[in-house]
Amino acid sequence: MLVFIGGTGLNQLPGFKVNHELAIATPYQDAPVIIACGNVGDCDQEIGFLPRHGTGHTLPPHRINYRANLFAIREAGAGAVIAVNAVGGIHAELGPGVIAVPDQIIDYTHSRAHTFFDGQLTGIDSPDQFSATVTHVDFTEPYDGNLRNLLISSAQDIDVPVWPQGVYGATQGPRLETPAEIRRLQRDGCDMVGMTGMPEAGLARELSLPYASIALSVNWGAGLSDDVITMEGIRRVLARGMGNIQAILLRAAERYHA
Ligand code: HPA
């Protein structure tokens, strides 16, 4: 199964025919994680869909239970995860409406439960799962290369331009950045800034789940244009840009082979 994690502007997947919902218990929260399963378009590939902000978009980035979500996705038997992220553009080519498939991450988040290997037993019984041992996963390539290629070639297939790389700077939020913070991210080499890329990608790696992101720039980073960043402006770009993201996801589902 290929699982899509929906972000801001993608709480639902148009054309997605849900045939059942999985309610998966995890050690990380009382409520089960709900993953909708079904198919998109005419494609046979089973798709799972999990909106990370909740179905009513009620969870801010720092309150999302990333561990519960990733744990549940693995329990559901996912072979791969494609995450959708709304971002602010920092690189000159990543203005509002541009889609990117990032290849690197810098993590500026804090105070989030960001690892399964917490140095203590997590209440999971199975001995092959996480334990009190100290583990450091390799994160040289934070996004899965095959999945990135799938996204890039799926976009090419349907003539949607995408920026095929980029450094994703993950900030804590929920407030937007100051211009000085954006300049710092720029100096660090960030091409885009978002609030949900981490710890999600790192947790997927800890579970050995192939994971990639498709990011839609919905505004210029603070101070990079004269416009004040408003939710209204962001919503307008989302409304225009999500159609292309959905088309890429549909094509990726058609081309994906486990
Ligand atoms: N900063 C951080 N996260 C974001 C932004 C931004 O400008 N736009 C969308 N997500």
Side-chain angles (χ1 to χ4, degrees), residues 10-218:
L10 195 76
N11 298 320
Q12 289 162 359
L13 204 54
F16 180 46
K17 294 182 288 285
V18 179
N19 44 44
H20 62 284
E21 278 189 350
L22 297 173
I24 300 175
T26 79
Y28 304 108
Q29 62 184 26
D30 292 338
V33 174
I34 310 294
I35 300 179
C37 301
N39 304 86
V40 278
D42 302 326
C43 167
D44 291 340
Q45 175 60 52
E46 188 178 34
I47 297 297
F49 183 67
L50 174 57
R52 69 162 80 74
H53 296 278
T55 41
H57 201 277
T58 48
L59 285 174
H62 63 289
R63 290 216 176 272
I64 293 168
N65 194 327
Y66 297 93
R67 288 199 299 187
N69 288 353
L70 270 298
F71 183 89
I73 287 171
R74 191 187 68 161
E75 289 292 289
V81 183
I82 293 176
V84 179
N85 298 93
V87 294
I90 295 178
H91 190 284
E93 300 210 16
L94 285 184
V98 177
I99 295 171
V101 178
D103 64 339
Q104 279 295 325
I105 301 176
I106 300 180
D107 187 7
Y108 302 91
T109 65
H110 53 83
S111 321
R112 299 182 181 188
H114 66 289
T115 180
F116 291 108
F117 300 110
D118 219 3
Q120 52 192 337
L121 289 170
T122 48
I124 302 163
D125 298 329
S126 165
D128 67 347
Q129 292 188 336
F130 325 109
S131 70
T133 56
V134 174
T135 302
H136 305 285
V137 291
D138 177 65
F139 211 36
T140 310
E141 285 189 32
Y143 299 106
D144 181 81
N146 291 332
L147 274 184
R148 291 188 58 254
N149 288 338
L150 174 70
L151 287 168
I152 294 162
S153 53
S154 297
Q156 277 164 355
D157 272 2
I158 56 168
D159 287 329
V160 173
V162 293
W163 218 59
Q165 77 262 319
V167 179
Y168 181 111
T171 54
Q172 176 69 359
R175 67 162 177 83
L176 295 161
E177 297 70 36
T178 64
E181 285 170 332
I182 291 292
R183 288 195 297 273
R184 171 192 173 204
L185 296 181
Q186 210 165 26
R187 285 194 300 275
D188 284 355
C190 295
D191 298 306
M192 64 197 94
V193 55
M195 300 175 192
T196 50
M198 284 297 281
E200 200 172 84
L203 290 166
R205 178 59 50 82
E206 286 189 346
L207 298 182
S208 303
L209 274 171
Y211 175 98
S213 155
I214 184 154
L216 173 66
S217 169
V218 293

